[in-house]
Amino acid sequence: MAVLDHIVVNVGDLKRSKAFYGEALAALGHELLIEYPGTAGFGSDRKPEFWIRAAESAHEPVHIAFAAPDRATVDAFHEAALKAGATDNGRPGIREIYHPSYYGAFVLDPDGHNVEAVCHRPAG
């Protein structure tokens, strides 16, 4: 299993960055797969793994999502991160906005980066 599930970086000009990454990542076999207001996701095999997000500053905190093999591991990550000093930014649970089996938990690390653990598998 890969350590990273996806990463989101902030960009100052979404249109310009979308064009840039669309061309640059095509050389690696990746393409623009999905867009939400203010965001664009690139990847292959129908799974966006690299996201860009419009921001006032490209130097705002980033979003990093670590892959988890199951929901219990997502829960354990959240608990361990809070004990290690993180701030809760979204308790473990389903995020149907992404897809029906998306189970994630979010914390803010000491520098304010949004760190997530996510499992895409259905319960059970």
Side-chain angles (χ1 to χ4, degrees):
M1 171 178 283
V3 69
L4 290 178
D5 184 78
H6 62 274
I7 187 166
V8 181
V9 298
N10 297 312
V11 298
D13 183 330
L14 183 64
K15 183 177 177 181
R16 181 186 67 199
S17 293
K18 190 167 56 171
F20 167 78
Y21 283 111
E23 290 185 38
L25 295 178
L28 300 173
H30 301 289
E31 63 184 330
L32 177 64
L33 295 174
I34 192 167
E35 292 184 74
Y36 294 115
T39 63
F42 298 83
S44 60
D45 297 324
R46 299 188 326 237
K47 184 181 184 305
E49 297 173 328
F50 177 75
W51 291 83
I52 56 175
R53 174 178 50 214
E56 289 186 28
S57 167
H59 303 289
E60 292 181 11
V62 300
H63 173 85
I64 302 167
F66 292 98
D70 52 47
R71 293 176 180 196
T73 303
V74 172
D75 296 344
F77 159 83
H78 189 260
E79 182 179 336
L82 293 177
K83 284 183 182 175
T87 301
D88 179 39
N89 198 34
R91 303 218 32 94
I94 294 290
R95 303 312 197 269
E96 287 187 357
I97 186 172
Y98 305 122
H99 65 74
S101 298
Y102 194 107
Y103 188 87
F106 303 82
V107 298
L108 298 178
D109 78 0
D111 292 304
H113 298 295
N114 187 22
V115 183
E116 173 188 5
V118 59
C119 175
H120 295 280
R121 296 182 179 146

